[in-house]
Amino acid sequence: MPYSTGDSKITETTIAEMRELAARYPVGRSALLPMLHLVQSVEGRVTPEGIEACADVLGLTGAEVSAVATFYTMYKRRPVGDYHVGVCTNTLCAVMGGDLIFERLKGHLEVGNDETTEDGKITLEHLECNAACDYAPVMMVNWEFFDDMTPESATQLVDDLRDGTEVKSPRGATICTWKEAERVLAGFPDGRADEGPTGGKATLAGLRLARERNWTAPDSNHSDGTPELRETVSPEAAAGPRPSDQPGKESGTGSPATPDSRKED
């Protein structure tokens, strides 16, 4: 596709929304990142016209805007499909099956990395760490999480998206289109931020243990400024996690914890 197609969808309404974003910040140029998301919400990518519009509103040069747009991988220079499907292939997800998932999807969709299917529905990309290692391997669709994936569940997911089946994130909202998601990232909420759960059992395991064992954070300082720790950790807790503490394992099952088993956990 040519760098510029000459059919920009940026209107006066878009320009007005860019000015609205700039007015939210003490220094207008701080709005550049959300403004680029706004460009993608109307253009489907960052276009030369979008870059110039951002530059004009913020009093920057096109080169300055381009430097930002080309630095972050979340800004795309080629059209993105209705659904951006990202597969984490960083260390833990890769070990847990992320590489297999990515290879399966490339063959299933007949596309390579950062390419879009012929029907314009799916853009596939391998992603670096999604900060969701507790649910590895993970995928994202328009930046919503999908946990504990397998090659089979991944292919079913993209098939459902292509067929128009409603898909819900296990820890987020119902999946919308790429452009709709980009508008939210630009700073124009769609009212669905609290539609789905944001944390699961694995994510909240530490919080649960802290409450059960009355663990607290430092709440005062010594005269020299170093924190004073309250004695709230029992010897048993200090020995380390037990098998019954692990997400997905019920208390009282399996053999009693031994020092060696704690070390392995």
Side-chain angles (χ1 to χ4, degrees):
M1 169 168 286
Y3 181 53
S4 176
T5 61
D7 60 349
S8 176
K9 298 178 179 61
I10 294 177
T11 64
E12 287 302 317
T13 299
T14 308
I15 300 299
E17 290 179 335
M18 287 181 174
R19 293 196 178 102
E20 177 186 339
L21 290 173
R24 296 179 185 179
Y25 295 85
V27 179
R29 67 186 297 164
S30 298
L32 180 54
L33 296 183
M35 285 171 63
L36 289 170
H37 282 296
L38 182 62
V39 169
Q40 293 194 141
S41 76
V42 296
E43 299 272 62
R45 64 183 181 122
V46 175
T47 59
E49 293 82 3
I51 288 174
E52 291 302 322
C54 291
D56 289 344
V57 169
L58 297 177
L60 301 173
T61 65
E64 289 174 314
V65 176
S66 292
V68 174
T70 56
F71 181 82
Y72 295 102
T73 58
M74 60 189 174
Y75 300 122
K76 308 300 182 184
R77 309 312 290 269
R78 292 184 293 180
V80 176
D82 292 336
Y83 304 101
H84 177 271
V85 174
V87 181
C88 183
T89 56
N90 212 320
T91 308
L92 184 56
C93 280
V95 169
M96 298 295 288
D99 286 339
L100 293 175
I101 291 171
F102 187 61
E103 291 303 316
R104 175 72 66 87
L105 289 182
K106 285 199 296 184
H108 185 70
L109 297 172
E110 298 181 334
V111 295
N113 180 55
D114 203 22
E115 293 182 355
T116 302
T117 55
E118 290 187 3
D119 60 8
K121 293 287 186 180
I122 305 288
T123 296
L124 179 66
E125 183 178 4
H126 76 83
L127 303 177
E128 291 302 316
C129 184
N130 287 321
C133 305
D134 42 351
Y135 287 103
V138 295
M139 292 173 53
M140 300 190 89
V141 177
N142 296 346
W143 313 120
E144 296 285 0
F145 282 114
F146 287 84
D147 307 323
D148 300 315
M149 298 300 290
T150 65
E152 292 73 27
S153 63
T155 54
Q156 184 62 57
L157 173 60
V158 296
D159 286 346
D160 287 343
L161 292 170
R162 298 179 86 177
D163 292 342
T165 302
E166 184 179 85
V167 174
K168 293 181 180 290
S169 166
R171 288 187 291 131
T174 303
I175 300 303
C176 59
T177 67
W178 159 260
K179 288 184 177 181
E180 290 169 336
E182 284 298 296
R183 182 167 178 81
V184 173
L185 291 176
F188 298 95
D190 59 5
R192 300 186 303 116
D194 298 320
E195 182 178 291
T198 56
K201 186 175 181 179
T203 305
L204 301 176
L207 178 61
R208 174 176 59 81
L209 287 174
R211 288 174 174 171
E212 289 177 355
R213 301 180 179 185
N214 195 31
W215 292 346
T216 58
D219 62 355
S220 62
N221 292 324
H222 292 289
S223 59
D224 62 358
T226 59
E228 177 181 349
L229 297 177
R230 290 190 287 173
E231 296 295 334
T232 59
V233 181
S234 67
E236 180 187 18
R242 302 163 299 181
S244 58
D245 296 328
Q246 304 307 304
K249 297 182 180 179
E250 299 299 328
S251 298
T253 61
S255 60
T258 65
D260 287 341
S261 66
R262 285 195 294 267
K263 185 183 294 184
E264 290 172 358
D265 290 337

